[in-house]
């Protein structure tokens, strides 16, 4: 039990984080493809957003009340996570030697 909520209620409170992650993934993929920005800069931006979002979540007071700003902090962290998820999977073939790649 977190904040006196059931598992379902706690999961519903995480919906902003869950929805922001695929939005961040789509945003990162689109700017990487259209603007030809180096993936390392997008990954760094996503990591910074993650740190900011989770740090802000860490500043919330320990109360049973759920503050509205919690959802904004979740969106920041989720967007950053989504940005990283998209590119960390795409960048792997670019940094691995050909001898280590699977063959079809």
């Amino acid at each position: 039990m977190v904040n006196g909520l059931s598992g379902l209620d706690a999961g519903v409170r995480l919906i902003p984080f869950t929805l922001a992650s695929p939005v961040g993934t789509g945003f990162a993929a689109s700017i990487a493809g259209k603007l030809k920005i180096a993936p390392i800069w997008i990954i760094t931006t996503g990591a910074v957003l993650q740190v900011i979002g989770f740090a802000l979540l860490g500043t919330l007071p320990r109360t049973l009340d759920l503050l509205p700003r919690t959802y904004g902090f979740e969106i920041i962290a989720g967007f950053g996570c989504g940005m990283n998820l998209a590119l960390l999977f795409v960048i792997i073939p670019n940094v691995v030697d050909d001898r280590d790649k699977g063959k079809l």
Side-chain angles (χ1 to χ4, degrees):
M1 307 258 310
V2 177
N3 287 350
L5 300 172
S6 68
L8 177 63
D9 287 337
V12 167
R13 302 301 193 286
L14 287 173
I15 287 176
F17 179 88
T18 306
L19 293 178
S21 184
V23 171
T25 300
F27 176 75
S30 67
I31 65 169
K34 291 179 185 175
L35 301 179
K36 304 294 183 199
I37 296 174
I40 189 66
W41 296 114
I42 299 171
I43 291 170
T44 302
T45 303
V48 167
L49 286 174
Q50 280 181 290
V51 169
I52 290 170
F54 289 126
L56 288 171
L57 283 168
T59 64
L60 294 172
R62 293 184 183 187
T63 65
L64 293 179
D65 299 329
L66 289 171
L67 303 172
R69 64 183 174 200
T70 304
Y71 303 117
F73 299 163
E74 286 181 23
I75 290 171
I76 294 169
F79 192 81
C81 287
M83 288 180 71
N84 282 339
L85 285 174
L87 294 178
L88 290 175
F89 285 112
V90 173
I91 202 170
I92 290 171
N94 297 326
V95 296
V96 174
D97 292 331
D98 286 336
R99 64 181 172 86
D100 294 330
K101 294 179 183 176
K103 305 287 182 191
L104 290 177

